[in-house]
Structure formats: C-alpha cells, structure tokens
Amino acid sequence: MEETPLTDQFIVYPKRFFIVFLFSLAQLMTSCLINTLTPIAKYLEDIYDQDPLVVNSGALLFALMHPVFTFPASYAIDTYGTKVGIAIGSGLCLLGTGLRMLVNSSFSWVIVGQVIAGIGRPFILNCQAKISANWFTAEKRGGITQLLTLVLNVSLIIGLLIPGIVFGKYKSDTESPETLQ
C-alpha cells in the first residue's frame, strides 16, 4: 500500500476564509483604536480641559503595551491556541473601548481604556501568522498573510479618518466671535 503525503490530505474548508474575515474585523477594531485620539487631540484638550501630554498619552500608552505584553500573549497563544488568544484580545479591546466611553465622567477613563485595549492588541496581532500557518496550505499562506497585513494597515488609516468625520464640523466655544473680545 502506497502512503500519500500529508499535504495531499490537507483540506482548506471555506469556513476558514469566513474565520479569517472575522479575525480581520478583530484586527480592524484593535488597530483603529490606536489612532482615534491623535487627530482630535486639540478638540479633546479644549472640551475636557486636559493638558496635551495627557491627551496624547492615550495613544502612546496603547502603543507601548504591545512590546510589553507580546511575550505573555505569544505564550498564551502557543499554549492555549489562537481561539483563546483572540478571545482574550477581543475581550480586552472591547472592555477598553467601553471604558473610553466613560469620558464624560473623567478623562482618565480614556487613558485606562487605552491601556487595557493596548494590552489586548498583541493577543490579536500575534495570531496573524499562526492562522496563516496552521489553517492554510503553503500555496495560500502568503496570500492570507498579505491580506491580513493589508487589513492591519488600512485599519490604521481608518482610525485616523473616523475622528475627522465625527468632529469635522465641530466648532469650539473659543472660536465663537462672542468669546474672542
């Protein structure tokens, strides 16, 4: 009896592409968060009476969490699998986003939310290569990795555009002619 190589038995089910699409949404969510404060920093300083350093520290702390938590995230992903890693990352990002919504009670919730979401980011981003390697054949891995990298980069741009769209027509009270006397 002739043995067939393992690669001949590997089947890529269409469901895997749907899972990659869902993963792309998680990747989109976490990457948009890093840039949403920066384009509107001046508005946030005026509205919430915050120092520019405090407002900009949200994006900085978010970015700093990735190198700090990349090894624990990789350990969790390697030990417990991509499903657990993505669930932890998505949960932390959603919690961080929810805390950011408490901005009207205190701006410090934005900073805390950014830190928590930043902790969740490596749990999602570190799964990218593992999904390509474990779920797809060698012929498809490069394309899937490129697609996920494209989603990552496009989501960074979207994160810069969304605040501009939301705050596009905002006028601060300090810009009103009555208060400029």
Side-chain angles (χ1 to χ4, degrees):
M1 182 168 146
E2 186 179 317
E3 291 184 32
T4 58
L6 219 50
T7 56
D8 291 342
Q9 299 173 6
F10 190 79
I11 299 171
V12 177
Y13 294 100
K15 177 182 174 184
R16 292 181 184 210
F17 291 99
F18 180 68
I19 298 297
V20 166
F21 170 74
L22 293 177
F23 176 74
S24 296
L25 293 177
Q27 203 175 23
L28 179 87
M29 170 194 61
T30 186
S31 294
C32 280
L33 287 174
I34 193 169
N35 289 329
T36 52
L37 295 178
T38 307
I40 56 170
K42 181 65 180 146
Y43 295 129
L44 295 174
E45 292 167 23
D46 293 341
I47 294 169
Y48 296 104
D49 192 31
Q50 294 295 317
D51 187 70
L53 182 63
V54 173
V55 173
N56 290 315
S57 67
L60 177 65
L61 289 170
F62 183 93
L64 286 175
M65 293 303 108
H66 191 94
V68 172
F69 285 92
T70 196
F71 292 111
S74 294
Y75 174 78
I77 292 163
D78 289 341
T79 305
Y80 303 108
T82 55
K83 181 179 178 181
V84 172
I86 294 169
I88 291 170
S90 296
L92 288 170
C93 286
L94 287 172
L95 176 64
T97 303
L99 290 174
R100 284 175 39 153
M101 291 183 195
L102 299 173
V103 65
N104 287 333
S105 62
S106 173
F107 193 80
S108 54
W109 285 115
V110 173
I111 306 302
V112 171
Q114 284 289 101
V115 169
I116 291 172
I119 292 169
R121 186 171 194 239
F123 284 91
I124 294 173
L125 295 187
N126 291 3
C127 288
Q128 180 175 323
K130 196 160 185 114
I131 287 173
S132 296
N134 291 350
W135 288 14
F136 294 94
T137 60
E139 295 82 30
K140 295 204 183 300
R141 285 182 198 143
I144 295 296
T145 303
Q146 289 173 354
L147 176 70
L148 292 175
T149 302
L150 177 68
V151 168
L152 177 67
N153 292 323
V154 168
S155 62
L156 291 170
I157 294 168
I158 291 171
L160 287 169
L161 294 176
I162 290 173
I165 293 168
V166 172
F167 277 82
K169 296 185 188 222
Y170 176 78
K171 297 289 183 213
S172 168
D173 286 342
T174 60
E175 296 174 7
S176 130
E178 296 83 31
T179 59
L180 291 177
Q181 299 174 9

